[in-house]
Coordinates of all heavy atoms in Angstrom, one line a residue:
T1 N 47.0 -130.8 -30.0 CA 47.1 -129.5 -30.9 C 45.9 -129.6 -31.9 O 45.2 -130.5 -31.9 CB 48.3 -129.6 -31.8 OG1 48.2 -130.8 -32.7 CG2 49.7 -129.7 -31.0
L2 N 45.6 -128.5 -32.3 CA 44.5 -128.2 -33.2 C 44.5 -129.1 -34.5 O 43.5 -129.7 -34.9 CB 44.2 -126.8 -33.6 CG 43.7 -125.9 -32.5 CD1 43.6 -124.5 -33.0 CD2 42.4 -126.3 -31.8
D3 N 45.8 -129.2 -35.0 CA 46.0 -130.2 -36.2 C 45.5 -131.6 -35.7 O 45.0 -132.3 -36.6 CB 47.5 -130.0 -36.5 CG 47.6 -130.9 -37.8 OD1 46.9 -130.7 -38.8 OD2 48.6 -131.6 -37.7
Q4 N 46.0 -132.2 -34.7 CA 45.7 -133.5 -34.2 C 44.1 -133.6 -34.0 O 43.5 -134.7 -34.4 CB 46.4 -133.8 -32.9 CG 47.8 -134.0 -33.0 CD 48.6 -134.1 -31.8 OE1 48.1 -133.7 -30.8 NE2 49.6 -134.9 -31.8
Y5 N 43.5 -132.6 -33.5 CA 42.0 -132.5 -33.3 C 41.3 -132.8 -34.6 O 40.3 -133.5 -34.7 CB 41.6 -131.2 -32.6 CG 40.1 -131.2 -32.2 CD1 39.8 -132.0 -31.0 CD2 39.3 -130.5 -32.8 CE1 38.5 -131.8 -30.6 CE2 37.9 -130.4 -32.5 CZ 37.5 -131.1 -31.2 OH 36.2 -131.0 -30.8
V6 N 41.8 -132.0 -35.6 CA 41.2 -132.2 -37.1 C 41.4 -133.6 -37.6 O 40.5 -134.2 -38.1 CB 41.7 -131.1 -38.0 CG1 41.2 -131.4 -39.5 CG2 41.3 -129.6 -37.5
T7 N 42.7 -134.1 -37.4 CA 43.0 -135.4 -37.9 C 42.1 -136.4 -37.2 O 41.7 -137.3 -37.8 CB 44.5 -135.7 -37.6 OG1 45.3 -134.6 -38.3 CG2 44.9 -137.0 -38.1
H8 N 41.8 -136.3 -35.9 CA 41.1 -137.2 -35.1 C 39.6 -137.2 -35.6 O 39.1 -138.3 -35.8 CB 41.3 -137.1 -33.7 CG 40.4 -137.9 -32.9 ND1 40.9 -139.2 -32.6 CD2 39.3 -137.8 -32.1 CE1 39.9 -139.8 -31.9 NE2 38.9 -138.9 -31.6
Y9 N 39.1 -136.1 -35.5 CA 37.6 -136.0 -35.9 C 37.2 -135.9 -37.4 O 36.1 -136.1 -37.7 CB 37.0 -134.8 -35.1 CG 36.8 -135.0 -33.6 CD1 37.8 -134.5 -32.7 CD2 35.7 -135.8 -33.2 CE1 37.5 -134.8 -31.4 CE2 35.7 -136.1 -31.9 CZ 36.5 -135.6 -30.9 OH 36.5 -135.9 -29.6
E10 N 38.2 -135.5 -38.2 CA 37.9 -135.4 -39.6 C 36.6 -134.8 -39.8 O 35.6 -135.4 -40.4 CB 37.9 -136.8 -40.3 CG 39.3 -137.3 -40.2 CD 39.3 -138.7 -40.8 OE1 38.4 -139.5 -40.7 OE2 40.4 -139.0 -41.5
P11 N 36.4 -133.5 -39.5 CA 35.0 -132.8 -39.7 C 34.5 -132.8 -41.1 O 33.4 -132.8 -41.3 CB 35.3 -131.4 -39.1 CG 36.8 -131.2 -39.1 CD 37.4 -132.5 -38.9
Y12 N 35.4 -132.8 -42.0 CA 35.0 -132.8 -43.5 C 34.4 -134.1 -43.8 O 33.5 -134.2 -44.7 CB 36.3 -132.6 -44.4 CG 37.4 -133.3 -44.0 CD1 37.7 -134.5 -44.5 CD2 38.4 -132.7 -43.0 CE1 38.9 -135.3 -44.0 CE2 39.5 -133.3 -42.6 CZ 39.7 -134.7 -43.1 OH 40.8 -135.3 -42.6
K13 N 34.6 -135.2 -43.2 CA 33.9 -136.4 -43.4 C 32.8 -136.6 -42.4 O 31.6 -137.1 -42.8 CB 34.9 -137.6 -43.2 CG 35.9 -137.7 -44.2 CD 36.8 -139.0 -43.9 CE 38.0 -139.1 -44.9 NZ 38.7 -140.3 -44.4
L14 N 32.9 -136.1 -41.2 CA 31.9 -136.2 -40.2 C 30.6 -135.4 -40.7 O 29.4 -135.9 -40.3 CB 32.5 -135.7 -38.8 CG 31.6 -135.6 -37.7 CD1 31.1 -137.1 -37.3 CD2 32.1 -135.1 -36.5
F15 N 30.8 -134.4 -41.3 CA 29.7 -133.6 -41.8 C 28.7 -134.4 -42.4 O 27.3 -134.2 -42.5 CB 30.2 -132.5 -42.7 CG 29.1 -131.5 -43.2 CD1 28.5 -130.6 -42.4 CD2 28.6 -131.7 -44.6 CE1 27.5 -129.7 -42.9 CE2 27.7 -130.9 -45.0 CZ 27.1 -129.9 -44.2
K16 N 29.1 -135.5 -43.2 CA 28.2 -136.3 -44.1 C 27.3 -137.1 -43.0 O 26.1 -137.5 -43.5 CB 28.9 -137.2 -45.0 CG 29.8 -136.5 -46.0 CD 30.7 -137.2 -46.8 CE 31.4 -136.4 -47.8 NZ 32.5 -137.2 -48.5
T17 N 27.7 -137.5 -41.9 CA 27.0 -138.4 -41.1 C 26.4 -137.8 -39.9 O 25.3 -138.2 -39.4 CB 27.8 -139.6 -40.7 OG1 29.1 -139.1 -40.0 CG2 28.2 -140.4 -41.8
D18 N 27.0 -136.7 -39.4 CA 26.6 -136.1 -38.1 C 26.8 -134.6 -38.1 O 27.9 -134.2 -37.6 CB 27.2 -136.8 -36.9 CG 26.6 -136.5 -35.6 OD1 25.9 -135.4 -35.5 OD2 26.8 -137.3 -34.5
K19 N 25.7 -133.9 -38.6 CA 26.0 -132.3 -38.7 C 26.1 -131.8 -37.4 O 26.8 -130.7 -37.2 CB 25.0 -131.8 -39.6 CG 25.1 -132.2 -41.1 CD 24.0 -131.6 -41.9 CE 24.2 -132.1 -43.4 NZ 23.2 -131.7 -44.3
E20 N 25.4 -132.2 -36.4 CA 25.5 -131.6 -35.1 C 26.7 -131.7 -34.4 O 27.3 -130.8 -33.8 CB 24.4 -132.2 -34.3 CG 24.2 -131.5 -32.8 CD 22.9 -131.9 -32.1 OE1 21.9 -132.1 -32.7 OE2 23.0 -132.1 -30.9
K21 N 27.3 -133.1 -34.5 CA 28.6 -133.2 -33.9 C 29.7 -132.3 -34.7 O 30.6 -131.8 -34.1 CB 29.0 -134.6 -33.9 CG 30.3 -134.9 -33.2 CD 30.5 -136.5 -33.1 CE 31.8 -136.5 -32.2 NZ 32.0 -138.1 -31.9
T22 N 29.5 -132.2 -36.1 CA 30.5 -131.3 -36.9 C 30.4 -130.0 -36.3 O 31.5 -129.3 -36.2 CB 30.1 -131.4 -38.3 OG1 30.1 -132.8 -38.8 CG2 31.0 -130.7 -39.1
E23 N 29.2 -129.4 -36.0 CA 29.1 -128.1 -35.6 C 30.0 -127.9 -34.2 O 30.6 -127.0 -34.0 CB 27.7 -127.7 -35.2 CG 27.0 -127.4 -36.4 CD 25.5 -127.1 -36.3 OE1 25.2 -126.7 -35.2 OE2 24.7 -127.1 -37.2
G24 N 29.8 -128.9 -33.3 CA 30.6 -128.9 -32.1 C 32.1 -129.1 -32.3 O 32.9 -128.2 -31.6
V25 N 32.6 -129.7 -33.3 CA 34.0 -129.9 -33.5 C 34.5 -128.5 -34.2 O 35.6 -128.0 -33.7 CB 34.3 -131.1 -34.6 CG1 35.7 -131.0 -35.2 CG2 34.0 -132.4 -34.0
L26 N 33.7 -128.0 -35.1 CA 34.2 -126.6 -35.6 C 34.2 -125.6 -34.6 O 35.0 -124.7 -34.6 CB 33.2 -126.3 -36.9 CG 33.3 -127.3 -38.0 CD1 32.3 -126.9 -39.1 CD2 34.7 -127.3 -38.6
W27 N 33.1 -125.5 -33.7 CA 33.2 -124.6 -32.6 C 34.3 -124.7 -31.8 O 35.0 -123.7 -31.5 CB 31.8 -124.7 -31.8 CG 31.6 -123.4 -30.9 CD1 31.0 -122.3 -31.2 CD2 32.2 -123.1 -29.7 NE1 30.9 -121.5 -30.2 CE2 31.7 -122.0 -29.2 CE3 33.1 -123.9 -28.8 CZ2 32.1 -121.3 -28.0 CZ3 33.5 -123.3 -27.6 CH2 33.0 -122.1 -27.3
N28 N 34.8 -126.0 -31.4 CA 35.9 -126.2 -30.7 C 37.2 -125.7 -31.3 O 38.1 -125.2 -30.6 CB 36.2 -127.7 -30.2 CG 35.0 -128.1 -29.2 OD1 34.4 -127.2 -28.5 ND2 34.7 -129.3 -29.2
L29 N 37.2 -125.9 -32.6 CA 38.4 -125.5 -33.5 C 38.6 -123.9 -33.4 O 39.6 -123.4 -33.2 CB 38.3 -125.9 -34.8 CG 38.6 -127.5 -35.0 CD1 38.2 -127.9 -36.4 CD2 40.0 -127.7 -34.8
L30 N 37.4 -123.2 -33.6 CA 37.4 -121.8 -33.6 C 37.6 -121.3 -32.2 O 38.4 -120.3 -32.1 CB 35.9 -121.3 -33.9 CG 35.7 -121.5 -35.4 CD1 34.2 -121.1 -35.8 CD2 36.5 -120.8 -36.3
Y31 N 37.2 -121.9 -31.1 CA 37.5 -121.6 -29.8 C 39.1 -121.7 -29.6 O 39.8 -120.9 -29.0 CB 36.7 -122.3 -28.7 CG 37.0 -121.8 -27.3 CD1 36.4 -120.8 -26.8 CD2 37.9 -122.6 -26.4 CE1 36.5 -120.4 -25.6 CE2 38.1 -122.2 -25.2 CZ 37.5 -121.2 -24.6 OH 37.7 -120.7 -23.5
G32 N 39.7 -122.8 -30.1 CA 41.0 -123.0 -30.0 C 41.9 -122.0 -30.6 O 43.0 -121.4 -30.2
L33 N 41.3 -121.5 -31.8 CA 42.0 -120.4 -32.5 C 42.0 -119.1 -31.6 O 42.9 -118.3 -31.8 CB 41.4 -120.2 -33.9 CG 41.9 -121.2 -34.8 CD1 41.0 -121.0 -36.2 CD2 43.4 -121.3 -35.1
T34 N 40.9 -119.0 -30.9 CA 41.0 -117.7 -30.0 C 42.0 -117.8 -29.0 O 42.7 -116.8 -28.7 CB 39.6 -117.5 -29.2 OG1 39.4 -118.6 -28.3 CG2 38.4 -117.4 -30.2
K35 N 42.3 -118.9 -28.5 CA 43.4 -119.1 -27.4 C 44.7 -119.0 -28.1 O 45.7 -118.4 -27.6 CB 43.3 -120.6 -26.8 CG 42.0 -120.8 -26.0 CD 41.8 -119.6 -25.0 CE 40.5 -119.7 -24.3 NZ 40.3 -118.4 -23.3
V36 N 44.8 -119.5 -29.4 CA 46.1 -119.3 -30.1 C 46.5 -117.7 -30.3 O 47.5 -117.3 -30.1 CB 46.1 -119.9 -31.5 CG1 47.2 -119.5 -32.4 CG2 46.2 -121.5 -31.4
S37 N 45.3 -117.1 -30.6 CA 45.6 -115.5 -30.7 C 46.0 -114.9 -29.5 O 46.7 -114.0 -29.4 CB 44.3 -115.0 -31.3 OG 43.3 -114.8 -30.4
E38 N 45.4 -115.4 -28.4 CA 45.9 -114.8 -27.1 C 47.2 -115.1 -26.7 O 47.9 -114.2 -26.2 CB 45.0 -115.4 -26.0 CG 43.7 -114.9 -25.9 CD 42.6 -115.7 -25.0 OE1 43.1 -116.5 -24.1 OE2 41.4 -115.5 -25.0
L39 N 47.7 -116.3 -27.2 CA 49.2 -116.5 -26.9 C 50.1 -115.8 -27.8 O 51.2 -115.6 -27.5 CB 49.4 -118.1 -27.1 CG 48.8 -119.0 -26.1 CD1 48.8 -120.5 -26.5 CD2 49.3 -118.9 -24.7
L40 N 49.6 -115.5 -29.0 CA 50.4 -114.8 -29.9 C 50.5 -113.3 -29.6 O 51.5 -112.7 -30.1 CB 49.9 -115.0 -31.4 CG 50.2 -116.3 -32.1 CD1 49.5 -116.3 -33.4 CD2 51.6 -116.5 -32.3
D41 N 49.6 -112.9 -29.0 CA 49.3 -111.4 -28.8 C 50.6 -110.7 -28.2 O 50.9 -109.6 -28.8 CB 48.0 -111.1 -27.9 CG 47.7 -109.6 -27.8 OD1 47.6 -109.1 -29.0 OD2 47.6 -109.0 -26.9
P42 N 51.3 -111.3 -27.2 CA 52.4 -110.5 -26.7 C 53.6 -110.4 -27.7 O 54.4 -109.4 -27.7 CB 53.0 -111.3 -25.6 CG 51.7 -112.1 -25.1 CD 51.0 -112.3 -26.4
I43 N 53.8 -111.4 -28.7 CA 54.9 -111.4 -29.6 C 54.5 -111.1 -30.9 O 55.5 -110.7 -31.7 CB 55.7 -112.8 -29.4 CG1 54.7 -113.9 -29.7 CG2 56.3 -112.9 -28.1 CD1 55.3 -115.3 -29.9
M44 N 53.2 -111.3 -31.4 CA 52.8 -110.9 -32.7 C 51.4 -110.3 -32.6 O 50.4 -110.9 -33.1 CB 52.8 -112.2 -33.6 CG 54.0 -112.9 -33.6 SD 54.0 -114.5 -34.6 CE 53.9 -113.8 -36.2
P45 N 51.4 -109.1 -32.1 CA 50.0 -108.4 -31.8 C 49.2 -108.2 -33.1 O 48.0 -108.4 -33.1 CB 50.3 -107.2 -31.1 CG 51.8 -106.9 -31.4 CD 52.4 -108.2 -31.6
T46 N 49.9 -107.9 -34.2 CA 49.1 -107.6 -35.5 C 48.5 -109.0 -35.9 O 47.4 -108.9 -36.3 CB 50.1 -107.0 -36.5 OG1 50.6 -105.8 -36.0 CG2 49.3 -106.7 -37.8
T47 N 49.2 -110.0 -35.9 CA 48.7 -111.3 -36.4 C 47.6 -111.7 -35.5 O 46.5 -112.3 -35.9 CB 49.9 -112.2 -36.4 OG1 50.8 -111.9 -37.4 CG2 49.4 -113.8 -36.9
A48 N 47.8 -111.6 -34.2 CA 46.7 -112.0 -33.2 C 45.5 -111.2 -33.5 O 44.4 -111.9 -33.4 CB 47.3 -111.7 -31.9
Q49 N 45.6 -110.0 -33.7 CA 44.3 -109.1 -34.0 C 43.7 -109.5 -35.4 O 42.5 -109.6 -35.5 CB 44.7 -107.6 -34.1 CG 43.5 -106.7 -34.3 CD 42.6 -106.9 -33.1 OE1 43.0 -107.0 -32.0 NE2 41.3 -106.7 -33.4
K50 N 44.5 -109.9 -36.3 CA 43.9 -110.4 -37.6 C 43.1 -111.7 -37.3 O 42.1 -111.8 -37.9 CB 45.0 -110.7 -38.6 CG 45.6 -109.4 -39.3 CD 46.8 -109.8 -40.2 CE 47.4 -108.6 -40.8 NZ 48.5 -109.0 -41.8
I51 N 43.6 -112.6 -36.5 CA 43.0 -113.9 -36.1 C 41.5 -113.4 -35.5 O 40.5 -114.0 -35.9 CB 43.8 -114.7 -35.3 CG1 45.0 -115.3 -36.2 CG2 42.9 -115.8 -34.7 CD1 46.1 -116.0 -35.3
V52 N 41.6 -112.6 -34.6 CA 40.4 -112.2 -33.8 C 39.4 -111.7 -34.9 O 38.2 -112.0 -34.8 CB 40.8 -111.2 -32.7 CG1 39.5 -110.6 -32.1 CG2 41.6 -111.8 -31.6
L53 N 39.8 -110.7 -35.7 CA 38.9 -110.1 -36.7 C 38.3 -111.2 -37.6 O 37.2 -111.2 -37.9 CB 39.6 -109.1 -37.4 CG 39.9 -107.9 -36.7 CD1 40.8 -106.9 -37.5 CD2 38.6 -107.1 -36.1
L54 N 39.3 -112.2 -38.1 CA 38.7 -113.3 -39.0 C 37.7 -114.1 -38.3 O 36.7 -114.6 -38.9 CB 39.9 -114.1 -39.5 CG 40.8 -113.4 -40.5 CD1 41.9 -114.2 -40.8 CD2 40.0 -113.5 -41.9
L55 N 37.8 -114.3 -37.0 CA 36.9 -115.2 -36.2 C 35.6 -114.6 -36.1 O 34.5 -115.3 -35.8 CB 37.6 -115.7 -34.9 CG 38.7 -116.6 -35.1 CD1 39.3 -116.8 -33.7 CD2 38.4 -117.8 -35.8
G56 N 35.4 -113.3 -36.0 CA 34.3 -112.5 -35.8 C 33.5 -113.0 -34.5 O 32.4 -113.3 -34.4
I57 N 34.3 -112.8 -33.4 CA 33.9 -113.3 -32.1 C 32.8 -112.4 -31.4 O 33.0 -111.1 -31.5 CB 35.0 -113.4 -31.1 CG1 36.1 -114.4 -31.7 CG2 34.7 -113.9 -29.8 CD1 37.5 -114.3 -31.1
T58 N 31.7 -113.0 -31.1 CA 30.9 -112.3 -30.1 C 30.9 -113.0 -28.7 O 30.7 -114.2 -28.6 CB 29.5 -112.4 -30.7 OG1 29.4 -111.9 -32.0 CG2 28.4 -111.7 -29.8
N59 N 31.3 -112.2 -27.8 CA 31.5 -112.8 -26.5 C 30.2 -112.8 -25.6 O 29.2 -111.9 -25.8 CB 32.5 -111.9 -25.6 CG 33.9 -112.2 -26.3 OD1 34.2 -113.1 -26.8 ND2 34.7 -111.2 -26.1
D60 N 30.1 -113.7 -24.6 CA 29.1 -113.8 -23.8 C 29.3 -112.8 -22.6 O 30.2 -111.9 -22.6 CB 28.8 -115.1 -23.1 CG 29.9 -115.7 -22.3 OD1 30.8 -114.9 -22.0 OD2 29.8 -116.9 -22.2
I61 N 28.4 -112.7 -21.6 CA 28.6 -111.7 -20.5 C 29.8 -112.0 -19.7 O 30.2 -111.0 -18.9 CB 27.3 -111.7 -19.6 CG1 27.1 -113.0 -19.0 CG2 26.0 -111.2 -20.3 CD1 25.9 -113.1 -17.9
N62 N 30.4 -113.2 -19.7 CA 31.6 -113.4 -18.9 C 32.9 -113.1 -19.8 O 34.0 -113.4 -19.4 CB 31.6 -114.9 -18.5 CG 30.5 -115.2 -17.5 OD1 30.1 -114.3 -16.7 ND2 29.8 -116.3 -17.8
G63 N 32.7 -112.6 -21.1 CA 33.9 -112.4 -21.9 C 34.3 -113.6 -22.7 O 35.3 -113.5 -23.3
E64 N 33.6 -114.7 -22.5 CA 34.1 -115.8 -23.4 C 33.3 -116.0 -24.7 O 32.3 -115.5 -24.9 CB 33.7 -117.1 -22.6 CG 34.6 -117.5 -21.4 CD 35.9 -117.7 -21.8 OE1 36.2 -118.6 -22.7 OE2 36.9 -117.2 -21.2
P65 N 34.0 -116.5 -25.7 CA 33.4 -116.5 -27.0 C 32.1 -117.3 -27.0 O 32.0 -118.3 -26.4 CB 34.4 -117.3 -27.9 CG 35.7 -117.1 -27.1 CD 35.3 -116.9 -25.7
A66 N 31.1 -116.7 -27.6 CA 29.7 -117.2 -27.7 C 29.3 -117.7 -29.1 O 28.8 -118.7 -29.2 CB 28.6 -116.3 -27.1
T67 N 29.7 -116.8 -30.0 CA 29.5 -117.2 -31.4 C 30.6 -116.7 -32.2 O 31.3 -115.8 -31.9 CB 28.1 -116.4 -31.9 OG1 28.4 -115.0 -31.8 CG2 26.9 -117.0 -31.2
F68 N 30.8 -117.3 -33.4 CA 31.7 -116.9 -34.3 C 31.1 -116.6 -35.7 O 30.1 -117.3 -36.1 CB 32.7 -117.9 -34.7 CG 33.5 -118.5 -33.3 CD1 33.1 -119.5 -32.5 CD2 34.7 -117.7 -32.9 CE1 33.8 -119.8 -31.4 CE2 35.3 -118.1 -31.9 CZ 34.9 -119.1 -31.0
H69 N 31.5 -115.6 -36.4 CA 31.0 -115.2 -37.7 C 32.3 -115.0 -38.6 O 32.8 -113.8 -38.7 CB 30.3 -113.8 -37.6 CG 29.0 -114.0 -36.8 ND1 27.9 -114.6 -37.1 CD2 28.8 -113.6 -35.5 CE1 27.0 -114.7 -36.1 NE2 27.6 -114.0 -35.1
T70 N 32.8 -116.1 -38.9 CA 34.1 -116.1 -39.6 C 34.2 -115.3 -40.9 O 33.2 -115.2 -41.7 CB 34.6 -117.5 -40.0 OG1 33.6 -118.2 -40.7 CG2 34.8 -118.2 -38.8
G71 N 35.3 -114.6 -41.2 CA 35.5 -113.9 -42.4 C 36.3 -114.6 -43.3 O 36.7 -115.7 -43.2
V72 N 36.7 -114.0 -44.5 CA 37.5 -114.6 -45.5 C 39.0 -114.0 -45.4 O 39.1 -112.8 -45.4 CB 36.9 -114.3 -46.8 CG1 37.9 -114.9 -48.1 CG2 35.5 -114.9 -46.9
L73 N 40.0 -114.8 -45.5 CA 41.2 -114.3 -45.5 C 41.7 -113.9 -46.9 O 41.7 -114.7 -47.8 CB 42.2 -115.5 -44.9 CG 43.6 -115.2 -44.7 CD1 43.9 -114.1 -43.6 CD2 44.5 -116.4 -44.4
T74 N 42.1 -112.6 -47.0 CA 42.4 -112.1 -48.3 C 43.9 -112.2 -48.6 O 44.3 -112.2 -49.7 CB 41.9 -110.7 -48.5 OG1 42.5 -109.9 -47.4 CG2 40.4 -110.7 -48.4
T75 N 44.7 -112.1 -47.5 CA 46.0 -112.3 -47.6 C 46.6 -113.3 -46.6 O 46.1 -113.4 -45.5 CB 46.9 -110.9 -47.4 OG1 46.6 -110.4 -46.3 CG2 46.5 -109.9 -48.6
P76 N 47.7 -114.0 -46.8 CA 48.2 -114.9 -45.8 C 48.6 -114.2 -44.6 O 49.1 -113.0 -44.6 CB 49.4 -115.5 -46.5 CG 49.3 -115.1 -47.9 CD 48.5 -113.9 -48.0
L77 N 48.5 -114.9 -43.5 CA 48.9 -114.4 -42.2 C 50.3 -114.3 -42.0 O 51.0 -113.3 -41.5 CB 48.3 -115.2 -41.0 CG 46.9 -115.1 -40.6 CD1 46.5 -116.1 -39.6 CD2 46.5 -113.7 -40.2
F78 N 50.9 -115.2 -42.7 CA 52.5 -115.4 -42.7 C 53.0 -115.4 -44.2 O 52.5 -116.2 -44.9 CB 53.0 -116.5 -42.0 CG 52.5 -116.6 -40.5 CD1 51.5 -117.4 -40.2 CD2 53.1 -115.8 -39.6 CE1 51.1 -117.5 -39.0 CE2 52.6 -115.9 -38.4 CZ 51.5 -116.6 -37.8
A79 N 53.7 -114.5 -44.6 CA 54.2 -114.5 -45.9 C 55.3 -115.6 -46.2 O 55.9 -115.9 -45.3 CB 55.1 -113.2 -46.2
R80 N 55.2 -116.3 -47.3 CA 56.0 -117.2 -47.8 C 57.4 -116.7 -47.9 O 57.6 -115.7 -48.7 CB 55.5 -117.9 -49.0 CG 56.5 -119.2 -49.4 CD 55.9 -119.7 -50.7 NE 54.6 -120.5 -50.4 CZ 54.2 -121.6 -50.8 NH1 54.9 -122.2 -51.8 NH2 53.2 -122.2 -50.4
K81 N 58.4 -117.4 -47.3 CA 59.8 -117.1 -47.4 C 60.3 -117.6 -48.7 O 60.3 -118.8 -48.7 CB 60.6 -117.4 -46.2 CG 62.0 -116.8 -46.2 CD 62.5 -117.1 -44.8 CE 63.9 -116.5 -44.7 NZ 64.5 -116.7 -43.3
E82 N 60.9 -116.8 -49.6 CA 61.4 -117.3 -50.8 C 62.9 -117.7 -50.7 O 63.6 -117.1 -50.1 CB 61.1 -116.3 -52.0 CG 59.8 -116.0 -52.2 CD 59.0 -116.9 -52.9 OE1 59.6 -117.6 -53.7 OE2 57.7 -116.9 -52.7

């Protein structure tokens, strides 16, 4: 899972010693989120679209993500249940 990936690589610590590897780890996380949005699309299309917009994906000629220009989340994707 993406959570395990973050736990394993600890990009917030890795950044201090290896910025290039950190970029790769973050790119992989963002790519993983694109796949999450694809899986969510049939059952939660609005949430999936919000994820895609937040990631600011620029695709290559094959339709695969090439770059990300992440945005800022102004409201939670999922409201807290009281």
Side-chain angles (χ1 to χ4, degrees):
T1 66
L2 294 176
D3 184 50
Q4 290 172 331
Y5 189 79
V6 170
T7 301
H8 177 75
Y9 284 101
E10 298 181 320
Y12 42 88
K13 290 181 182 177
L14 184 61
F15 180 76
K16 296 174 186 174
T17 59
D18 192 342
K19 291 182 183 180
E20 188 172 315
K21 187 169 183 178
T22 304
E23 287 179 14
V25 169
L26 293 176
W27 195 94
N28 289 337
L29 288 169
L30 293 169
Y31 185 81
L33 286 173
T34 66
K35 297 304 175 187
V36 169
S37 71
E38 289 173 11
L39 293 170
L40 284 175
D41 192 51
I43 56 172
M44 300 176 80
T46 303
T47 300
Q49 186 60 33
K50 285 180 185 178
I51 293 170
V52 169
L53 290 173
L54 282 168
L55 295 176
I57 302 166
T58 303
N59 293 328
D60 64 12
I61 59 172
N62 298 317
E64 287 294 312
T67 60
F68 298 97
H69 302 282
T70 56
V72 176
L73 185 63
T74 57
T75 59
L77 288 176
F78 303 101
R80 181 177 290 217
K81 192 172 183 178
E82 302 279 334

